[in-house]
Amino acid sequence: MLYILFTVIFLLPVLLGFGSIFMKLSGIYKSNISLKILTGIISITTIFTITAFFFPLNVLVEALILFIGLAAFFYFKEYKSVWNFFSEHQWEFCVLAFITVFFGSYYPFILDHFGYYVPTVKWISEVGLVKGISNLDLVLGQMSMWHIFQAGLSNFSDPFLRLNTMVLITYLIYIFEKKSWINLIFLPVLYLFTQSPSPDLPVIAFSLMVLNEVWRANTNSVLLFLISIFIFCIKPTLIWVPLFVFLYSLLILKKSVKFVLPGICILLLFFIKNIWVFGYPVFPMQFLDLGWSWKPNAQLLKNSAEMAIQKTYDMQFTYSKIDQFSRWDYIKNWFLLEGIKGKINTLFIISLIVFFVFALKKNSTLVWILLVSVVTKSVLVLLFSAQYRFFIDVFFVIFFVFFVNRFSRKFSMTAFFVMSSVLALFLSYPNLFKNHLPSFRVGSLMGSFKAEQFILPSTYDWNHYRSYQIGNLDFKVVDGYILSFDIPIPAVSPDYLKEYHDAGIFPQLKGKTLKEGFIWKNLTPKEKMQLQEVLENYILSLDAKR
């Protein structure tokens, strides 16, 4: 906990420094602390992304960024604005910030932390952006820009990967600056994402900041659209944010379309990054096939698409069974999923209907624009993979619109402390929930509260693996566990070993080094036997640990 606190105190001036540079270059002379921090994040992420094409984001890159940021912080005298902020809000803000840091110190429990976030950060910090890395592990083809930002600051500033805590401190600063107290109610929910570098937290927090700025009639379309595109680049399922800002700027502010140019530059970088690591502009979609030699195997992409459909139904039906659904079955079975997810799906559709009725009643152009944007996003999610985690942000948006002017500061503070207390109980004693909610799957990954986390955040270690070679690829496979989160690179996920065996392919180095990237090749009969042996060894190691 103390380590996270020191990390936040150290990094916020760095981000403020880069935010000040951005504001000076863009000609924006009046801005609050939180938006400067946000533009600092965008600036550093852009620098890191470009750098990662050529170099790993190692300690030298991190040290240079930290030096420039701190120098700018003092050169532009941003310490004065920080002092003014704390002089005004004093202990109230500090108490909430302390609670935020406290929640960031718990064990990570989001499954993607182990199978996606940590390996991605490891690759970027040790090698950089690798051409065709999706051929080694399809999940790594995402390479979210948030993980690029995290990787660049993971060498010594934040080795425990808790930058999401810093994001919530920024969000908290924004709440106090704008006196937007309704946002306090969202904080306890977002605390569930502070233990991991989950991209869900920054996109929800940043999108709520953008939404609040639009609701307050902010006319800086260039900045709002840039932030909204950055949100999309972190997580494309939040496509409603740039669409909302675009329509708001054109239809309400009557701006010239030139305001999109800075945002388009970030978007182009996002597309180039995706083509480099995945072979297509947007992961995991297969449109705009330019025939790159490093694009993933078609069978693996087909398997991924089928898995996305199964996850739509919470893995409660096989793909062959889903394929036999009638049109009515598709809808009915989605609503009637066993457990809490079926109820979330129902609540989602009801919320959209209520939002539509609300728009009819308000008859506001701004509300209609937001509704169109949210419905557009919702339709796209429902068409591709209607998993609740892809539309969870919609609940935040609708709640904000309904209650933005209804909650007082006192009520919001009270709700915050009550919800935070319940969440602290939940995270500290997860066995209570495991025993009473058998369908709560992530409970098996949750560790209880430890006194040591007052100093250092809680983490998991495994680091058991075996080394193999097939073709020109030397690789590691985790030993006795299902996820390869802390073993040396290159590592092949156990799930993909089976997929590679079934498809008769295996990843290979494109050149002589990891930086040159990966392609896939068909297995020879001898190599397929080698892969079968690797699979058998892994299954034996897993059985031995049970």
Side-chain angles (χ1 to χ4, degrees):
M1 189 173 167
L2 282 177
Y3 193 98
I4 298 175
L5 183 61
F6 290 143
T7 297
V8 170
I9 292 172
F10 180 62
L11 285 181
L12 284 182
V14 173
L15 299 175
L16 261 175
F18 271 94
S20 297
I21 295 173
F22 175 89
M23 294 299 180
K24 296 297 182 182
L25 293 177
S26 60
I28 303 173
Y29 297 104
K30 291 185 179 181
S31 182
N32 50 50
I33 294 175
S34 53
L35 287 180
K36 281 183 182 177
I37 294 172
L38 179 48
T39 54
I41 291 173
I42 296 173
S43 302
I44 293 175
T45 303
T46 303
I47 294 169
F48 279 162
T49 303
I50 295 171
T51 303
F53 280 102
F54 308 99
F55 308 103
L57 300 185
N58 55 28
V59 66
L60 295 177
V61 175
E62 181 175 353
L64 180 61
I65 287 294
L66 296 176
F67 173 77
I68 295 173
L70 286 173
F73 174 77
F74 288 104
Y75 179 80
F76 293 112
K77 299 180 181 179
E78 286 297 336
Y79 51 83
K80 292 184 177 180
S81 59
V82 174
W83 176 258
N84 291 337
F85 174 82
F86 280 100
S87 297
E88 180 180 353
H89 301 291
Q90 295 181 340
W91 293 109
E92 192 174 40
F93 172 83
C94 291
V95 169
L96 270 63
F98 180 84
I99 293 172
T100 301
V101 172
F102 170 73
F103 279 109
S105 67
Y106 279 91
Y107 281 103
F109 61 88
I110 298 173
L111 193 61
D112 280 348
H113 175 87
F114 307 95
Y116 166 40
Y117 305 158
V118 174
T120 298
V121 169
K122 184 184 287 287
W123 270 99
I124 297 170
S125 61
E126 295 182 17
V127 184
L129 290 173
V130 177
K131 183 188 296 183
I133 197 171
S134 56
N135 289 302
L136 180 73
D137 187 322
L138 188 60
V139 171
L140 295 179
Q142 298 177 72
M143 288 281 170
S144 169
M145 290 181 81
W146 189 247
H147 296 132
I148 295 174
F149 176 63
Q150 173 71 80
L153 297 173
S154 66
N155 297 285
F156 62 86
S157 299
D158 182 34
F160 296 101
L161 311 184
R162 304 300 165 103
L163 281 184
N164 276 359
T165 303
M166 184 200 66
V167 170
L168 283 192
I169 296 296
T170 305
Y171 185 47
L172 190 59
I173 293 172
Y174 179 83
I175 292 171
F176 275 84
E177 285 182 324
K178 299 292 184 176
K179 296 179 172 51
S180 181
W181 307 118
I182 186 175
N183 286 279
L184 284 176
I185 298 175
F186 299 137
L187 273 175
V189 181
L190 296 177
Y191 284 156
L192 289 168
F193 302 97
T194 54
Q195 306 81 23
S196 301
S198 167
D200 292 297
L201 187 148
V203 295
I204 291 174
F206 296 159
S207 63
L208 289 171
M209 289 168 66
V210 169
L211 182 60
N212 192 65
E213 287 300 303
V214 172
W215 233 250
R216 291 169 176 262
N218 188 318
T219 60
N220 192 334
S221 296
V222 173
L223 181 59
L224 291 176
F225 190 72
L226 176 67
I227 296 172
S228 68
I229 287 293
F230 180 66
I231 293 169
F232 173 83
C233 292
I234 294 176
K235 198 172 181 70
T237 53
L238 270 82
I239 190 172
W240 70 266
V241 187
L243 179 59
F244 174 56
V245 172
F246 180 78
L247 294 176
Y248 163 71
S249 300
L250 284 185
L251 301 180
I252 294 180
L253 299 182
K254 308 296 183 182
K255 295 278 187 174
S256 165
V257 78
K258 292 179 181 179
F259 71 87
V260 305
L261 293 178
I264 292 299
C265 292
I266 300 293
L267 187 63
L268 288 175
L269 180 61
F270 167 76
F271 289 146
I272 294 169
K273 181 266 298 181
N274 283 346
I275 291 172
W276 187 260
V277 298
F278 174 58
Y280 298 92
V282 180
F283 182 95
M285 300 169 66
Q286 301 171 56
F287 75 92
L288 197 60
D289 185 353
L290 299 178
W292 301 108
S293 61
W294 61 87
K295 67 181 182 180
N297 178 268
Q299 182 60 46
L300 294 189
L301 291 173
K302 183 174 180 291
N303 294 346
S304 174
E306 292 177 359
M307 179 59 68
I309 293 173
Q310 284 184 265
K311 287 183 177 180
T312 295
Y313 295 93
D314 195 32
M315 304 300 291
Q316 296 179 21
F317 303 94
T318 64
Y319 178 76
S320 58
K321 179 69 174 177
I322 297 171
D323 199 39
Q324 295 172 5
F325 284 174
S326 66
R327 188 170 296 178
W328 170 244
D329 289 334
Y330 277 112
I331 300 171
K332 179 192 69 174
N333 291 329
W334 187 71
F335 281 114
L336 298 179
L337 288 175
E338 295 180 6
I340 193 173
K341 292 181 182 177
K343 296 178 177 61
I344 293 175
N345 294 342
T346 303
L347 180 61
F348 171 60
I349 299 301
I350 292 174
S351 299
L352 289 178
I353 294 171
V354 173
F355 192 14
F356 175 73
V357 175
F358 178 83
L360 286 174
K361 183 180 178 181
K362 282 290 184 180
N363 196 26
S364 161
T365 303
L366 184 60
V367 174
W368 277 110
I369 288 173
L370 181 59
L371 175 65
V372 168
S373 303
V374 168
V375 169
T376 300
K377 170 254 172 63
S378 302
V379 170
L380 290 174
V381 167
L382 291 172
L383 288 175
F384 287 100
S385 183
Q387 303 174 51
Y388 80 96
R389 62 195 182 100
F390 292 150
F391 53 72
I392 196 75
D393 55 294
V394 173
F395 293 116
F396 289 86
V397 173
I398 294 176
F399 187 90
F400 175 90
V401 173
F402 284 2
F403 301 108
V404 61
N405 295 318
R406 296 177 183 270
F407 293 160
S408 66
R409 172 180 178 142
K410 182 178 179 180
F411 177 86
S412 298
M413 281 285 186
T414 303
F416 166 80
F417 281 110
V418 171
M419 294 169 67
S420 297
S421 300
V422 173
L423 182 62
L425 180 68
F426 167 67
L427 292 176
S428 299
Y429 304 100
N431 286 329
L432 291 174
F433 295 87
K434 295 178 195 176
N435 296 333
H436 292 88
L437 293 172
S439 63
F440 182 61
R441 296 172 187 168
V442 296
S444 60
L445 297 171
M446 296 179 67
S448 301
F449 174 81
K450 303 289 184 184
E452 292 82 0
Q453 73 188 56
F454 281 117
I455 306 299
L456 296 175
S458 299
T459 58
Y460 292 110
D461 298 305
W462 186 256
N463 203 30
H464 297 296
Y465 61 91
R466 299 187 189 185
S467 299
Y468 301 96
Q469 180 174 350
I470 294 179
N472 70 356
L473 181 63
D474 293 304
F475 62 98
K476 283 83 176 173
V477 177
V478 66
D479 191 58
Y481 196 60
I482 59 173
L483 297 167
S484 311
F485 67 96
D486 70 339
I487 65 177
I489 58 175
V492 178
S493 169
D495 287 341
Y496 283 110
L497 290 175
K498 181 69 166 59
E499 285 201 47
Y500 294 148
H501 184 272
D502 293 344
I505 65 167
F506 202 75
Q508 296 288 282
L509 291 174
K510 197 172 187 294
K512 294 182 179 181
T513 65
L514 295 177
K515 185 63 179 174
E516 293 176 79
F518 296 90
I519 56 174
W520 60 269
K521 60 161 267 187
N522 293 313
L523 289 168
T524 65
K526 180 181 178 181
E527 290 170 338
K528 194 162 188 178
M529 290 179 63
Q530 288 179 283
L531 182 53
Q532 179 64 37
E533 184 180 344
V534 174
L535 270 168
E536 291 172 355
N537 288 341
Y538 168 71
I539 293 171
L540 288 173
S541 74
L542 203 57
D543 291 339
K545 296 293 182 181
R546 286 173 178 168

